[in-house]
Amino acid sequence: MYSHKLLKPDGRKLKLYSRYPITSQLEATSPSNEPVQANPHLRWHPLRGEWVAYASHRQGRTFMPPPEYNPLAPTTNPEFPTELPQGKYDVAVFDNRFPSMSLAANNPPDTIVETLPANGACEVVVFTQDARASLSSLQLDHLDLLLEVWGDRTRELGLNPEIQYVLPFENKGVEVGVTLHHPHGQIYAYPFIPPVPARMLSMQQEYYQEHQRGLLQDLIQKEIADNQRIIYQDEYAIAFVPVCARYPYEVWLAPKEPVSTFIDLTPQQRWGLAKALKTVTLKYDGLWNRPFPYLMAWFQAPTDGLAHPEAHLHAEFFPPYRTSERLKYLAGTELAAGMFANDALPEEKAKELQTVVVNIEEPVSV
C-alpha cells in the first residue's frame, strides 16, 4: 500500500492510497476555501442511557447534485474544484465538511440534561475515482487495498486518546438515504463505545470469560457445520446469512479465526475478506439484476489500548428490501420495542443468494 498526505485549502486533511506509487505533484482541492466551522455537541438521553449528537450545520450539506457536478469525483475544472485532485490513486480519505462529530468541538450549550462537546471524527472514504463503479465491480486487489485502508484509518484515528471506537460503514442506495451516488463510505470515530457495539462487546466478553473462546468464532463453526446459510467461504474468510438474521437479506462477513481489528488481519485473511466482500456484493446486485441497496457496517474492538481477545472483526449488511419490490420498514415493534420481526426465514433468503452465480476473479463491466 502506498499513501500520500495533503492539506486542503480549507484546512481539512486528505490522504490518498494506491496499489502503486503516488506522484508527489498532487495538489489538494476543496469545494470551498472557508474553514469548517462545525461545533456539534452531545446531549444525554436519560431514559435510554445514551448520547445523542446535534449538528445543525449538516442541514446545508450537499444533496443530490446533478451528475455534471460530482463533489467526490476528481476535479476537472479548477474554477469549480471538488473534494479530490487529479492523479493516479485508488482510494481517498478526507475529513467530512459536514461532520456529526469534530475533535475541535467545544463549549456545548447548557440544557436541562448533561451535554458534552461531540469530540470525535468523521471521515469520507471514496472507494474509487470511477463514479459508475461499486464495491462489486472493483478488482480484488482494489478491495484488498480498501481493507488495508480501513486498518490504517483505525490505527491513525485510534492514536488520539479521545477516540474510543472506530466504525467504517457504507450507505448504498437512496433507500437508505444516500445523497451522493459516487461509490464511497464513511468512518465515524467516537469518543465513547456506541450502544450497539457496546452491547455486542458485552455479550462477547461474557462468552469469552466462560468458554475462553470467541462467541462469533463458535457461531461461525456452527454455521459451517449446519451448512444451510453460507454464501461464501474459503480457508480464511466466510460470509453467511446468520441464523438470527433481523433483516431478510442480512449477511455477515468475517475472518474465520478471530482478529480484534483491521490492524490485526494477516495478508491471507485480508485477501479472503476481499473475495468474500466481492462475492456478497455481486450476489446482491445479481439477485434482481439491479444495484442492491444496503448499510454495511464493520465492527471491531475499541481503540482503548486494552487487549480484547473476545472481539471478532466482522461486517454486517442490512439491506432494506424484503422482496424485489417491497421495503422492510422499521416501525412499531422494531423502533418502539427494539425487537425485530422478520417476515422470511434466513434459510429461504440464503437459498436465493446461493443460487446467484458470480465470478469474483474477473473484472465486471459497469
Side-chain angles (χ1 to χ4, degrees):
M1 178 178 73
Y2 298 87
S3 64
H4 187 67
K5 291 184 177 181
L6 294 168
L7 191 65
K8 288 175 166 289
D10 59 8
R12 291 179 296 137
K13 297 185 295 294
L14 167 67
K15 193 169 185 180
L16 306 175
Y17 297 87
S18 179
R19 294 164 285 177
Y20 312 101
I22 300 174
T23 175
S24 60
Q25 303 303 312
L26 297 172
E27 185 173 333
T29 58
S30 176
S32 171
N33 291 341
E34 294 296 321
V36 174
Q37 300 294 331
N39 191 23
H41 70 277
L42 305 174
R43 299 186 185 187
W44 183 249
H45 192 306
L47 289 180
R48 294 179 64 94
E50 61 191 37
W51 292 104
V52 181
Y54 294 85
S56 57
H57 60 278
R58 284 176 56 80
Q59 291 287 353
R61 67 187 187 272
T62 309
F63 182 83
M64 296 294 188
E68 60 269 22
Y69 181 69
N70 175 1
L72 300 185
T75 298
T76 56
N77 184 346
E79 294 186 7
F80 300 97
T82 66
E83 293 283 11
L84 300 184
Q86 288 284 342
K88 188 175 181 180
Y89 55 88
D90 295 311
V91 177
V93 180
F94 58 86
D95 295 332
N96 198 323
R97 277 182 71 203
F98 307 98
S100 297
M101 297 175 289
S102 170
L103 291 170
N106 61 89
N107 297 320
D110 291 327
T111 75
I112 62 172
V113 295
E114 183 182 358
T115 63
L116 287 174
N119 290 136
C122 296
E123 297 184 336
V124 177
V125 183
V126 182
F127 299 151
T128 171
Q129 294 188 37
D130 185 356
R132 303 167 300 166
S134 64
L135 289 184
S136 63
S137 70
L138 298 181
Q139 295 181 352
L140 287 173
D141 59 350
H142 195 136
L143 293 174
D144 181 80
L145 171 70
L146 178 59
L147 290 159
E148 198 169 2
V149 168
W150 283 328
D152 184 70
R153 301 317 305 151
T154 298
R155 181 187 298 105
E156 192 165 320
L157 290 165
L159 290 175
N160 190 314
E162 292 194 67
I163 299 302
Q164 294 294 299
Y165 196 85
V166 178
L167 178 75
F169 63 91
E170 180 196 11
N171 294 319
K172 181 188 175 190
V174 295
E175 294 88 343
V176 295
V178 170
T179 58
L180 293 173
H181 291 296
H182 192 109
H184 73 286
Q186 299 182 64
I187 296 175
Y188 272 32
Y190 301 87
F192 53 85
I193 305 175
V196 171
R199 176 62 172 161
M200 290 196 290
L201 283 166
S202 176
M203 298 301 294
Q204 290 175 92
Q205 288 168 348
E206 182 179 321
Y207 188 92
Y208 190 86
Q209 289 170 1
E210 182 176 352
H211 301 280
Q212 296 302 300
R213 285 178 57 82
L215 173 57
L216 183 54
Q217 179 184 15
D218 281 356
L219 179 60
I220 287 172
Q221 291 306 311
K222 291 178 181 178
E223 289 283 3
I224 292 173
D226 196 34
N227 196 29
Q228 292 191 70
R229 294 166 294 276
I230 295 173
I231 305 302
Y232 173 87
Q233 73 166 318
D234 60 23
E235 184 179 355
Y236 300 102
I238 188 169
F240 57 96
V241 177
V243 66
C244 53
R246 297 180 304 161
Y247 292 81
Y249 292 99
E250 182 174 336
V251 170
W252 294 5
L253 191 157
K256 286 184 173 179
E257 291 300 315
V259 299
S260 296
T261 72
F262 284 105
I263 303 169
D264 306 305
L265 289 170
T266 66
Q268 294 84 2
Q269 287 175 314
R270 198 170 59 241
W271 189 254
L273 287 176
K275 291 193 290 184
L277 180 56
K278 188 171 180 71
T279 298
V280 170
T281 51
L282 276 175
K283 282 180 174 287
Y284 275 160
D285 289 346
L287 182 63
W288 300 315
N289 294 312
R290 69 185 196 224
F292 192 90
Y294 56 72
L295 160 62
M296 173 188 66
W298 285 88
F299 299 100
Q300 54 185 336
T303 58
D304 54 9
L306 303 176
H308 287 276
E310 77 284 353
H312 193 142
L313 170 72
H314 71 285
E316 297 187 12
F317 286 82
F318 308 127
Y321 279 100
R322 55 191 176 95
T323 70
S324 63
E325 303 299 333
R326 295 180 180 177
L327 290 168
K328 162 68 176 177
Y329 290 104
L330 300 189
T333 184
E334 288 92 358
L335 291 181
M339 191 194 85
F340 275 63
N342 196 336
D343 297 335
L345 292 175
E347 294 76 27
E348 296 171 349
K349 297 304 181 182
K351 287 180 181 177
E352 291 183 40
L353 291 171
Q354 288 164 351
T355 59
V356 180
V357 178
V358 300
N359 182 1
I360 64 172
E361 302 298 337
E362 298 292 332
V364 178
S365 59
V366 293

